[in-house]
């Protein structure tokens, strides 16, 4: 194992953070673009009643955010009609298996981000590459936290939003570290 110099380590951190941020934004955009019509159609009945009773309609961009977090196995919490709260995953509850392909999206994007981070850091062995790839956390985690708050919809006294704990821990930390490290380790195989 080679000892990375300070310059490569800094490049790895910066490259990892940038790649992590791009992976998060790109993942959300893929969900929004590919599922927007389906989401809008699904929300039409709910939004009709929300409008009828003077509430704000649920935006497609918010529901796309819920689905993006669901792709990380993060449930969305919503108030229940009889009090309390319920949680669910829009992907697993949907009819049809094509939607389940969204579960592959975050790992795939994070592996690519880790690959980019490892290449940026000049990783020459899998351990250095994995370390550089894990730095995608620096860009992905802050956006995962912001998104968990941004994709909130107020309804009565409650909110519909991704579960904050799993949004931060699972989507924001575990996913980028694990899949970024895999991509970073793989990047060492591509080194000159």
């Amino acid at each position: 194992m080679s000892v990375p110099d300070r310059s490569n380590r800094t490049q790895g951190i910066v490259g990892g953070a940038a790649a992590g941020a791009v992976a998060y934004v790109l993942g959300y955009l893929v969900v929004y673009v590919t599922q927007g019509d389906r989401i809008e159609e699904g929300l039409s009945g709910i939004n009709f009643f929300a409008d009828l009773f003077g509430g704000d309609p649920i935006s497609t961009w918010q529901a796309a955010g819920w689905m993006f977090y669901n792709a990380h196995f993060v449930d969305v919490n919503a108030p229940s009609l009889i009090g309390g709260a319920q949680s669910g995953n829009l992907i697993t509850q949907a009819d049809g298996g094509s939607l389940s392909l969204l579960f592959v999206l975050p790992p795939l994007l994070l592996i690519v981000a880790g690959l980019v981070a490892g290449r940026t850091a000049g990783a020459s062995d899998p351990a250095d590459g994995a370390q550089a790839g894990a730095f995608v956390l620096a860009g992905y985690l802050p956006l995962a936290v912001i998104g968990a708050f941004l994709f909130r919809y107020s309804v009565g006294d409650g909110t519909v939003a991704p579960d904050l704990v799993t949004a931060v821990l699972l989507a924001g930390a575990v996913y980028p570290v694990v899949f970024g490290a895999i991509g970073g380790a793989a990047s060492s195989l591509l080194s000159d």
Side-chain angles (χ1 to χ4, degrees), residues 4-190:
D5 66 15
R6 183 173 224 100
S7 159
N8 282 358
R9 185 170 176 87
T10 302
Q11 287 176 340
I13 293 170
V14 171
V22 168
Y24 180 91
V25 171
L26 190 58
Y28 169 76
L29 288 175
V30 166
V31 171
Y32 181 80
V33 169
T34 62
Q35 303 303 316
D37 291 340
R38 178 184 282 192
I39 291 168
E40 195 169 324
E41 183 181 314
L43 291 174
S44 63
I46 297 168
N47 284 338
F48 172 77
F49 285 108
D51 190 40
L52 189 66
F53 292 107
D56 293 328
I58 300 172
S59 299
T60 303
W61 67 267
Q62 287 174 310
W66 301 339
M67 194 173 280
F68 178 58
Y69 279 87
N70 288 162
H72 294 83
F73 292 97
V74 174
D75 283 346
V76 172
N77 295 329
S80 178
L81 293 175
I82 56 173
Q86 61 184 9
S87 62
N89 187 311
L90 300 172
I91 298 172
T92 59
Q93 294 172 354
D95 294 331
S98 65
L99 207 55
S100 62
L101 288 175
L102 291 177
F103 287 122
V104 177
L105 181 65
L108 180 64
L109 290 172
L110 287 164
I111 288 171
V112 170
L115 187 70
V116 168
R119 294 292 293 158
T120 302
S124 58
D125 64 58
D128 289 343
Q131 183 179 18
F135 283 123
V136 300
L137 169 82
Y140 209 84
L141 177 62
L143 293 178
V145 172
I146 290 167
F149 288 100
L150 184 65
F151 300 127
R152 290 174 105 63
Y153 173 77
S154 295
V155 55
D157 293 335
T159 59
V160 179
D163 179 71
L164 185 60
V165 173
T166 53
V168 172
L169 295 178
L170 185 59
V174 173
Y175 263 69
V177 167
V178 170
F179 294 110
I182 291 169
S187 74
S188 67
L189 303 174
L190 303 174

